[in-house]
Amino acid sequence: MAGILVGFGTKLSNGCTSGHGLCGLARLSIRSFVAVVTFLVAGLAIATIIYHAGGLGPFTQARYSSTIHYDHMITSNICIALGIILPFLGLYFRIRAANATVKDTQPINTDKVNGSNNFERLTSNSYFIKDQFIVFLVGLIFGAGLLVAGMVRRSNIIMFLALGPDWNPSLLFVLGAGVVINLIFFTYMIRVMKEPLFGEKLFNPNNNVIDIRLIGGSVCFGLGWGIGGLCPGPGIMQTPIFTVDVHLIWFPFFFLGQFIANKLN
């Protein structure tokens, strides 16, 4: 239930704690503000109800720490291998996309004043290496932040959402610190830099529509978040440490939820 609600909700509302929370709030987006309040209320409500109803008992560190009692080196090595292979797959699909663009665009513009054509730009070694390095660096920083802050532990998430004697406010400080840092950098980029150092333009979403998809998706995400204690980021971070409940149950239903929401969209 938790996986399908999180997958459905994030797809329908176009965001989660990272998209609407860390990024949307930092952009001062009204749409993201509504989404964050909605999924926080839903998550707090369901987790608190479960806590006080006694269905799962007190939320202790042991219950939600997903303790591993076997060697997980195989899954770790698979993740390392994927980390090496995926950039080359990215280059392959990038070249295919550029080829399709070149075929659909006649004549090809190679004027040096207007810049090189899309194929040359996308497949150039310097562009590819630079792009992949930035993606890797951002992912590394984000993942390290989740680990250091303890946001990969489901117990920390549940103990924040469940209002009771075990309440843990750490998530509030992590989210607040991230929003403040992003607010400073986003404001500087939009008002001072005007354009990125590496790229063609800044992508600053301006959709402020508050509709049933945003509200309904945020409610679904909040309920799934409060039930399972996982959102997409921490779920992905647990990939190297295989657990049945996360990888064989939560993830398949997460993707099922995304599929259903995509069909509705």
Side-chain angles (χ1 to χ4, degrees), residues 17-18 21-23 25 141-153 156-157 160 168-182 225 231 234:
T17 51
S18 300
L22 290 173
C23 296
L25 293 181
I141 294 173
F142 185 69
L146 289 176
L147 286 171
V148 173
M151 293 300 101
V152 178
R153 288 185 176 273
N156 288 345
I157 306 301
F160 165 75
N168 181 357
S170 60
L171 176 59
L172 196 61
F173 292 100
V174 173
L175 178 62
V179 169
V180 170
I181 292 173
N182 281 347
W225 190 36
C231 58

Side-chain angles (χ1 to χ4, degrees), residues 61-250:
Q61 195 78 3
R63 178 178 288 273
Y64 283 94
S65 294
S66 298
T67 305
I68 308 302
H69 298 288
Y70 52 86
D71 187 4
H72 54 267
M73 287 303 296
I74 294 178
T75 53
S76 299
N77 291 334
I78 291 175
C79 290
I80 294 173
L82 287 175
I84 297 173
I85 295 172
L86 288 178
F88 293 98
L89 287 177
L91 177 61
Y92 169 74
F93 287 111
R94 188 187 299 275
I95 293 175
R96 287 194 59 181
N99 274 323
T101 302
V102 170
K103 290 179 181 179
D104 295 338
T105 306
Q106 296 293 337
I108 300 173
N109 177 23
T110 56
D111 194 301
K112 292 190 180 297
V113 176
N114 295 327
S116 59
N117 62 66
N118 192 46
F119 177 81
E120 292 175 345
R121 181 182 66 83
L122 288 177
T123 57
S124 65
N125 290 332
S126 60
Y127 180 88
F128 171 72
I129 294 174
K130 187 187 303 178
D131 183 59
Q132 296 300 314
F133 175 76
I134 292 174
V135 171
F136 173 79
L137 185 61
V138 171
L140 181 65
I141 294 173
F142 185 69
L146 289 176
L147 286 171
V148 173
M151 293 300 101
V152 178
R153 288 185 176 273
R154 297 166 64 192
S155 56
N156 288 345
I157 306 301
I158 292 294
M159 287 190 289
F160 165 75
L161 294 173
L163 301 178
D166 295 324
W167 188 65
N168 181 357
S170 60
L171 176 59
L172 196 61
F173 292 100
V174 173
L175 178 62
V179 169
V180 170
I181 292 173
N182 281 347
L183 176 62
I184 295 172
F185 280 98
F186 286 0
T187 302
Y188 177 78
M189 287 188 294
I190 294 172
R191 297 185 179 181
V192 180
M193 292 179 60
K194 306 295 184 180
E195 60 182 24
L197 295 175
F198 308 108
E200 297 178 348
K201 64 178 181 178
L202 290 174
F203 293 92
N204 185 22
N206 55 9
N207 180 15
N208 286 319
V209 176
I210 300 172
D211 54 14
I212 189 62
R213 294 178 184 274
L214 177 69
I215 302 298
S218 298
V219 169
C220 289
F221 166 65
L223 293 175
W225 190 36
I227 294 171
L230 279 178
C231 58
I236 293 173
M237 285 296 296
Q238 294 197 29
T239 302
I241 305 176
F242 179 85
T243 54
V244 172
D245 54 343
V246 174
H247 295 82
L248 296 186
I249 300 176
W250 190 88

